[in-house]
């Protein structure tokens, strides 16, 4: 079974994440893809668009020249896009363990 260990590690990571979120008072509706959804939404709300969002989300752009023959956006472009995001962190997030 070639991918057996990866499946096991992925499952264990999901269990640990679930236990952590439950301990912090979050319900079952908070799953890994909630983070992806939030990240994507934050990028769009920060006026990051197009190929930059595609690359940061790990998606193909649908354009052969970009997807096959490009190394994608530079590290600097990725960093600039991520720095545009405004994080709304509450005291609860910072003080609870």
């Amino acid at each position: 079974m070639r991918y057996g260990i990866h499946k096991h590690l992925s499952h264990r990571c999901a269990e640990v994440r679930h236990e952590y979120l439950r301990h912090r008072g979050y319900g079952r509706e908070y799953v890994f893809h909630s983070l992806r959804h939030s990240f994507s939404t934050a990028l769009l709300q920060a006026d990051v668009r197009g190929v930059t969002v595609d690359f940061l989300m790990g998606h193909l752009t649908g354009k052969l020249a970009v997807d096959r023959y490009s190394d994608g956006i530079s590290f600097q472009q990725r960093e600039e896009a991520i720095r545009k995001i405004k994080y709304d962190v509450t005291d609860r997030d910072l003080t609870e363990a």
Side-chain angles (χ1 to χ4, degrees), residues 19-56:
E19 291 170 17
Y20 172 78
L21 290 173
R22 188 178 56 196
H23 174 74
R24 299 279 310 243
Y26 295 100
R28 288 196 166 275
E29 68 275 13
Y30 291 93
V31 295
F32 172 75
H33 278 86
S34 297
L35 297 173
R36 289 183 56 81
H37 180 269
S38 296
F39 182 62
S40 176
T41 300
L43 288 169
L44 294 173
Q45 289 176 351
D47 289 325
V48 177
R49 299 279 185 253
V51 173
T52 303
V53 173
D54 292 337
F55 274 101
L56 289 172

